């Protein structure tokens, strides 16, 4: 190192100026590289977060639609139109618990409306249920307050999700669960009214059993 300093000291002035100029250029170039790499890493990180958001949104739509189809089958509603079926083979019964969709306790056979219970892919928690005093559970929804990326061009089954500003406004179930008349629905636990000893009411929150993971489409036909 000392030899380099001696050589630099003995070098003519024009040569020393070139060395100083090259060192300054190298420093500026290094700074520019660091800045560019920072920008690229920021863009990559933002792209990754956006990709994860899109994947969670797609999974929420899938799981929500599975619940919606199961709930509509239970209440004997048309899957796409969302209207009660005119011809039915059994009396309509309230849906008291989401787990009843896995195996209908009122059926002599092993009638299934849903293959498994799902959790909210955004929060990892249970879906919140929407209840009607006469019909029991008529819908489920996310509790996430993030703004949806998708706000239009939904399939007909999910047309009621158009132009919503938060995921918790995405309600999957009967049409009256999405746009209920005032005072006709409650939010609560899927275990059923009074199961925890606390009456359910608007704004109360509950839970359901279930876990995340790969979703399996339901094969039950309308």
């Amino acid at each position: 190192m000392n030899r380099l300093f001696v050589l630099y000291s003995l070098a003519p002035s024009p040569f020393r100026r070139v060395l100083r100029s090259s060192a300054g250029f190298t420093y500026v170039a290094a700074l520019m590289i660091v800045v560019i790499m920072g920008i690229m890493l920021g863009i990559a990180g933002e792209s990754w977060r956006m990709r994860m958001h899109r994947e969670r949104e797609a999974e929420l739509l899938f799981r929500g639609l599975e619940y919606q189809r199961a709930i509509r089958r239970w209440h004997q509603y048309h899957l796409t139109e969302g209207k009660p079926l005119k011809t039915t083979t059994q009396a309509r019964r309230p849906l008291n618990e989401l787990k009843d969709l896995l195996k209908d306790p009122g059926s002599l056979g092993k009638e299934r409306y849903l293959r498994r219970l799902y959790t909210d892919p955004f929060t990892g928690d249970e879906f919140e249920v929407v209840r009607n005093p006469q019909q029991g559970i008529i819908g489920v929804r996310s509790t996430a307050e993030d703004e949806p990326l998708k706000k239009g061009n939904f399939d007909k089954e999910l047309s009621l999700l158009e132009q919503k500003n938060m995921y918790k406004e995405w309600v999957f179930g009967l049409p009256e669960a999405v746009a209920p008349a005032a005072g006709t629905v409650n939010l609560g636990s899927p275990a059923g009214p009074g199961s925890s000893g606390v009456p359910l009411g608007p704004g109360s929150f509950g839970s359901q059993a279930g876990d995340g993971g790969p979703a399996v489409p339901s094969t039950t036909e309308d």
Side-chain angles (χ1 to χ4, degrees):
M1 190 72 179
N2 291 332
R3 291 180 180 179
L4 291 175
F5 179 75
V6 172
L7 291 173
Y8 175 79
S9 300
L10 296 176
S13 296
F15 186 70
R16 290 202 300 271
R17 285 197 297 270
V18 170
L19 288 177
R20 287 197 298 269
S21 176
S22 299
F25 175 79
T26 302
Y27 178 72
V28 172
L31 285 178
M32 291 179 63
I33 291 173
V34 170
V35 171
I36 292 172
M37 288 181 64
I39 293 173
M40 293 177 66
L41 288 173
I43 293 173
E46 185 65 27
S47 299
W48 180 82
R49 286 192 294 272
M50 182 62 68
R51 179 179 177 181
M52 293 299 295
H53 193 138
R54 290 187 185 279
E55 289 180 356
R56 289 192 181 102
E57 182 177 274
E59 186 65 16
L60 175 60
L61 286 170
F62 176 84
R63 297 182 184 188
L65 185 57
E66 287 294 286
Y67 270 121
Q68 176 167 294
R69 288 172 175 172
I71 291 171
R72 289 187 177 185
R73 288 190 183 102
W74 177 282
H75 291 293
Q76 301 175 51
Y77 274 53
H78 191 281
L79 296 187
T80 304
E81 300 296 332
K83 299 177 181 179
L85 297 176
K86 295 181 179 179
T87 57
T88 59
T89 58
Q90 61 183 16
R92 294 186 176 93
R93 293 172 290 109
L95 175 59
N96 296 317
E97 302 182 54
L98 286 178
K99 69 179 183 180
D100 291 345
L101 296 172
L102 302 178
K103 183 180 183 302
D104 187 351
S107 173
L108 297 177
K110 295 182 179 180
E111 188 168 3
R112 297 170 62 93
Y113 300 87
L114 190 68
R115 288 185 178 272
R116 57 175 297 180
L117 298 179
Y118 300 113
T119 53
D120 183 343
F122 276 98
T123 65
D125 297 327
E126 296 78 11
F127 278 89
E128 186 175 68
V129 299
V130 182
R131 295 181 181 277
N132 177 287
Q134 288 74 40
Q135 297 169 288
I137 297 173
I138 59 173
V140 299
R141 71 173 191 174
S142 170
T143 57
E145 297 185 353
D146 305 70
E147 182 176 0
L149 299 175
K150 183 179 180 64
K151 292 191 175 182
N153 298 318
F154 289 95
D155 293 337
K156 191 171 183 179
E157 282 184 272
L158 298 174
S159 60
L160 293 175
L161 305 185
E162 299 272 351
Q163 304 304 318
K164 302 299 183 183
N165 296 317
M166 290 187 291
Y167 287 119
K168 71 177 185 179
E169 296 177 351
W170 282 12
V171 182
F172 304 92
L174 307 186
E176 48 264 43
V178 182
T184 59
V185 301
N186 295 332
L187 305 177
S189 165
S195 61
S196 62
V198 180
L200 298 175
S204 59
F205 294 83
S207 62
Q208 90 187 49
D211 57 0
V216 181
S218 173
T219 56
T220 307
E221 298 294 335
D222 182 28

